[in-house]
Amino acid sequence: MHGVRYRELKDMHQIFAVAGPPGGGKTAWIAKQVEALVQQRPQSRPLYCALGGAGSVLDGMLLASQVSSLEVVEQLTPDVLQGVIDKQRSLFIEIDSRIDLAQLVLPEVLNVQNVVLMPEDWRNGELEAWSDLRFPSELALAPQPSISDTQICAIELQGQVIDPASLEILWQELTGGAYGIVHRAKGLFCLADGPGVYFSYVKGHESRQTELNLEPCLEGRPSYPSALEVMGNPLEGDAILATTQDCLLSNQVLQQHQAQLKAMQEMEAA
């Protein structure tokens, strides 16, 4: 791919499979393309599907929060595929970096353009051979000797609410090396003071935080997906799990926070 120029997307009624190294900005790139599509065609309702990875649900939640017209699907079912074809809907498929692209088989009915995001000065034979289009990536992990050696710590947190101050400490410790060498980390958390928040970290770069456009949970437990995924080597998975659990609110404490939020909302509405 030496000398190949980066190209712009022109026909947005297409289907794109998006791949790249961990932390390469695949989700952010898709968000920009969807926003551009909706600006061009306000009535359009593009689709998003993530293949592989414990954090794929989190990426879908982040996108859905940022672009209300986006529809997130968990699987490329026959009904979904037929809708893409019949209604000419754009579809973005995000492929986890651990998937072997040489073995990846997408439905034959789809005319897919393979998109790769990675830094301009990188060379990767597998990605280059697979790609139809290539776009530059500002954030990405340095090439790893073997991604198969990477450890993954995935913690399911749906229904859990976390203390914001405790989360800040956990994230600083996690990205600072307290639990091993972290290459990539991302998490979606429901905070005690109301909003959901998405944390993202790539080794060698500053952490990013994105507040999600979600309704605060004022009764019971939140129903939207929440999880933490950490990639690195070596990792102290048990310690990460234990510290994360220490940050979670009990039912009693959660109810106290919810009562405070309700009181604040009532005062603002008065």
Side-chain angles (χ1 to χ4, degrees), residues 12 28 40-41 43 116 123 149 162 169 182 192 215 227 246:
M12 293 301 296
Q40 294 174 15
R41 302 181 178 91
Q43 301 304 316
V116 163
R123 294 293 172 263
D149 296 331
I162 197 165
I169 295 173
V182 175
E215 289 294 326
D246 288 341

Side-chain angles (χ1 to χ4, degrees), residues 121-135:
D121 58 347
W122 277 28
R123 294 293 172 263
N124 181 297
E126 180 188 21
L127 289 173
E128 292 176 10
W130 178 83
S131 67
D132 298 315
L133 300 170
R134 177 175 166 180
F135 292 87

Side-chain angles (χ1 to χ4, degrees), residues 157-211:
L157 295 171
Q158 183 162 346
Q160 300 296 335
V161 179
I162 197 165
D163 173 63
S166 299
L167 175 59
E168 289 289 346
I169 295 173
L170 167 64
W171 198 258
Q172 289 175 9
E173 292 179 345
L174 186 66
T175 58
Y179 306 103
I181 300 175
V182 175
H183 299 149
R184 176 80 169 104
K186 57 184 174 182
L188 192 156
F189 308 97
C190 179
L191 301 184
D193 56 5
V197 63
Y198 183 92
F199 278 51
S200 179
Y201 168 77
V202 178
K203 185 180 179 182
H205 303 275
E206 294 292 326
S207 289
R208 295 183 175 184
Q209 300 181 24
T210 304
E211 187 171 311

Side-chain angles (χ1 to χ4, degrees), residues 88-101:
Q88 294 187 323
R89 298 178 69 179
S90 294
L91 169 63
F92 295 85
I93 306 167
E94 182 170 352
I95 301 172
D96 187 82
S97 57
R98 286 157 283 181
I99 290 180
D100 184 353
L101 296 177

